[in-house]
C-alpha cells in the first residue's frame, strides 16, 4: 500500500481510515465514533481503546 501522506487518526474520516491495513468500514466508524465521544487520541497506542483494535492492528498501521 502506498499513501501520499501519513494518515492522522485524529483528523481522518472513516473513508481515509479504511486505507489503513486491517481497517474496514465498521472499524473505521468505531474509530470516528470513539474520537467524537472521547476526543483526540494522544498516541497511536491509544487506538487500542477502540473495540477491535489490538496489538497486531497497531503494528500493521504504525508505518502509516
Amino acid at each position: 500500500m502506498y499513501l501520499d501522506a501519513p494518515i492522522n487518526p485524529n483528523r481522518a474520516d472513516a473513508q481515509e481510515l479504511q486505507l489503513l491495513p486491517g481497517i474496514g468500514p465498521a472499524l473505521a466508524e468505531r474509530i470516528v465514533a470513539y474520537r467524537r465521544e472521547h476526543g483526540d487520541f494522544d498516541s497511536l497506542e491509544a487506538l487500542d481503546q477502540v473495540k477491535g483494535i489490538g496489538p497486531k492492528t497497531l503494528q500493521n498501521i504504525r508505518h502509516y
Side-chain angles (χ1 to χ4, degrees), residues 16-61:
E16 291 172 299
L17 290 167
Q18 290 178 62
L19 296 173
L20 296 168
I23 306 294
L27 189 50
E29 288 296 336
R30 282 198 300 268
I31 292 169
V32 172
Y34 185 93
R35 188 178 66 206
R36 198 173 21 244
E37 185 174 331
H38 300 280
D40 286 352
F41 299 100
D42 60 3
S43 68
L44 181 66
E45 289 72 23
L47 282 167
D48 73 355
Q49 298 298 311
V50 178
K51 182 180 177 185
I53 296 185
K56 185 176 180 180
T57 302
L58 288 174
Q59 185 63 32
N60 289 339
I61 66 174

